[in-house]
Amino acid sequence: MAGGRGTGGLGASELVLVGGALIVAVALVYRVSGWPYALAALAAATLGGVAWFAMHTDRRVRTADHEWRAEDAIAAGRRTLDELDSMTGTQFEEHVAALCRRDGCTDVRRAGGPGDNGADVRGRMPDGRTMVVQCKRYAPKAAVPARDMRELRGAQAHFQADVAILVTTSRFTRQSTAFAVDNGIIAIHRDFLGLWNNGTRLPVLAALNGAGQGDRRHRERWRRTYDDR
């Protein structure tokens, strides 16, 4: 973690020195005037205060460090949707592969390119099932047609994969959504991609398959939003 975090006052080591100095001062008074009980009480109170402050500060620093690391882990893998739109196809496939790894998928590798047989990314789900992923970096105003879903279903059969996932920077037509639901294909459209990109885990999105694209009015707002893109 870059940089240190202050404790908002004297540190534990400084308080130990201050407490020690107070004990020495009172000890001198004790030798002169004979206050044994006062000395013992003051020593106990000083050491107890120092110990409490040290534990409280340590707990506060540890909590702040944990929160910072959690935020940093999410920020390190975060990219805005605009940045995804500006990626090349290969970069987008690599980014999707990285998101899969982040969520516990194993043996993940980008396989996109000539002769990929419809699988841009291959690997295993966190539970061990094999998966094939197809990445469609379409313009936001476009829609993934049902034929793309059928091609992915063919790739799933070709590789004998347990799970098929289609990830797009756009949305799905009604026909492609229906095909995905009927054939158990996980469909991650632009809205879900934004959630995935910002920390939502893949298994959570898989459970929402076929949802999230809204009604007719939502689709009209979508078209108006991306009409000039």
Side-chain angles (χ1 to χ4, degrees), residues 9-95:
L10 291 176
S13 60
E14 287 86 348
L15 281 182
V16 169
L17 293 175
V18 172
L22 287 174
I23 293 174
V24 171
V26 174
L28 293 175
V29 173
Y30 162 69
R31 292 183 62 184
V32 174
S33 55
W35 292 350
Y37 297 109
L39 173 63
L42 180 59
T46 301
L47 292 176
V50 170
W52 176 88
F53 184 86
M55 289 187 295
H56 177 75
T57 299
D58 180 71
R59 183 165 54 249
R60 184 172 59 181
V61 170
R62 286 178 180 273
T63 299
D65 182 69
H66 176 75
E67 293 174 351
W68 179 87
R69 289 182 183 278
E71 293 171 0
D72 186 64
I74 295 174
R78 181 182 295 146
R79 293 177 186 271
T80 66
L81 288 172
D82 285 342
E83 288 176 325
L84 295 184
D85 292 336
S86 67
M87 289 181 176
T88 65
T90 298
Q91 289 172 334
F92 183 54
E93 292 167 5
E94 291 285 5
H95 183 66

Side-chain angles (χ1 to χ4, degrees), residues 76-213:
R78 181 182 295 146
R79 293 177 186 271
T80 66
L81 288 172
D82 285 342
E83 288 176 325
L84 295 184
D85 292 336
S86 67
M87 289 181 176
T88 65
T90 298
Q91 289 172 334
F92 183 54
E93 292 167 5
E94 291 285 5
H95 183 66
V96 169
L99 290 175
C100 291
R101 294 188 192 98
R102 183 202 70 187
D103 290 351
C105 297
T106 58
D107 299 330
V108 178
R109 62 192 183 280
R110 190 187 72 83
D116 60 16
N117 293 308
D120 296 321
V121 176
R122 296 179 60 192
R124 290 183 177 274
M125 296 287 286
D127 58 11
R129 291 178 296 165
T130 56
M131 68 175 186
V132 291
V133 184
Q134 195 171 93
C135 306
K136 296 296 184 183
R137 194 189 58 80
Y138 288 165
K141 65 180 180 181
V144 176
R147 67 172 179 272
D148 287 348
M149 288 293 184
R150 290 193 291 268
E151 289 176 1
L152 177 56
R153 184 68 183 86
Q156 182 182 13
H158 175 79
F159 291 106
Q160 298 182 343
D162 300 315
V163 179
I165 306 172
L166 200 154
V167 184
T168 183
T169 52
S170 61
R171 61 183 183 85
F172 300 106
T173 64
R174 290 181 181 178
Q175 292 78 9
S176 61
T177 299
F179 187 92
V181 172
D182 291 344
N183 290 273
I185 297 174
I186 300 174
I188 300 179
H189 52 70
R190 186 178 183 87
D191 292 341
F192 282 179
L193 177 58
L195 295 174
W196 193 20
N197 208 40
N198 285 280
T200 300
R201 299 288 174 171
L202 180 59
V204 175
L205 298 177
L208 298 174
N209 196 30
Q213 293 199 137

